[in-house]
Amino acid sequence: MSRTTLLKVRGLQVAYGGIQAVKGIDFEVHAGELVCLIGSNGAGKTSTMKAITASLPSQATELTYLGRPMAGQGAWDLVRQGLAMVPEGRGVFTRMSIAENLHMGAYCRRDTDGIAQDLARMYALFPRLRERRDQLAGTLSGGEQQMLAMARALMSRPKLLLLDEPSMGLSPVMVDKIFDVIREVAAQGVTILLVEQNASRALSIADRAYVMESGELTLSGPAQTLLHDPAVRAAYLGE
Ligand code: ATP
C-alpha cells in the first residue's frame, strides 16, 4: 500500500547550549493518520514540535513536508500548503474576539464562501465558542482558549495539524472535550501529530505512537499495541 507521507523527519537534533534535548530522531506521519508522541516531562517532545515548525533552531538530515524540505519555506508558505500548529500555551490573540481570532486563522485564504462555511462548522464543533463569539479571547478559560486555538488552526483547512500538549492545565471535563474534538477532527480527514503527556488518553485515540525518552525514540508502533505493552503501562500509565 502506498501512502502519502506528509511529514518525514530524519536525524533531528535540538541542543540548548551543550545539552542535547533531541538526539537525532527519525519519524514520519502519513496522510490520514493520527500519530502521537508521548513521553515524560523533559523527554524532548515540545522541543521536537518546535523544531519542526522552526520556532527553535535544529539540525536534521531530512525534514520534509509533502516531500519538500521545510527549511527555507516561510511560515505562511507552509500554512498555505496545509500545515497548521497549535502551540503549547495556545497563543490566541488575547485582545481580539473569538470571531476575530477565527478570521485570523483563515488569513491565507481568499474563498469567502468557504471561510463562512468553515466558521459555521467551527461553531458547530465548539458550541461554547459560538455562544461567546464577541468575547475577548483573553477572558476565556484555559479550556476555551485551547478550543479557540484549535478552531483557529482548523480555519486554515490544514492537511496536517500539529498539536502540542492540548490537555495541559485543563480540568478533566475539558480534557474529555478536547480529546473528543481531536478524534472528530481526525475522523473528518485531517492528519494529526499529537504531542501529549497524557499517554493513556493520547494512545486511546491515536493510530500510531512514538515513545520518547531523554531525547530518543525508544518505542513505536500501533497505538493499541503500545497501550497494552507492559513496559509502557508501567512507565507512562502509572501501573
Ligand atoms: P514537558 O512535557 O515537560 O513539556 P517535553 O518532553 O516537551 O517536556 P522539552 O520541553 O522538549 O520536553 O524539554 C526537553 C529538555 O530540554 C528538558 O531537559 C528541558 O529542560 C530542556 N529545555 C527545554 N527548553 C529549554 C531552553 N529554552 N533552554 C535550555 N533547556 C531547555
Side-chain angles (χ1 to χ4, degrees), residues 16 21 40-47 88 165 197:
Y16 298 103
S40 37
N41 269 322
K45 306 180 299 296
T46 295
S47 301
E88 193 179 35
E165 311 251 12
Q197 236 186 89

Side-chain angles (χ1 to χ4, degrees), residues 57-71:
S58 65
Q59 289 191 309
T61 50
E62 185 175 349
L63 181 53
T64 54
Y65 173 64
L66 287 171
R68 294 175 53 208
M70 293 174 79

Side-chain angles (χ1 to χ4, degrees), residues 8 23 27 36 48 50 64 72 91 98 125-126 128 132 162 168-170 187 189 207 211 214-215:
K8 187 168 176 192
K23 301 173 182 167
F27 67 97
C36 71
T48 299
K50 286 185 175 166
T64 54
I98 286 179
L125 195 57
F126 302 97
R128 185 80 68 104
R132 292 157 189 267
L162 306 175
M168 175 117 80
L170 302 188
D207 299 309
V211 178
S214 308

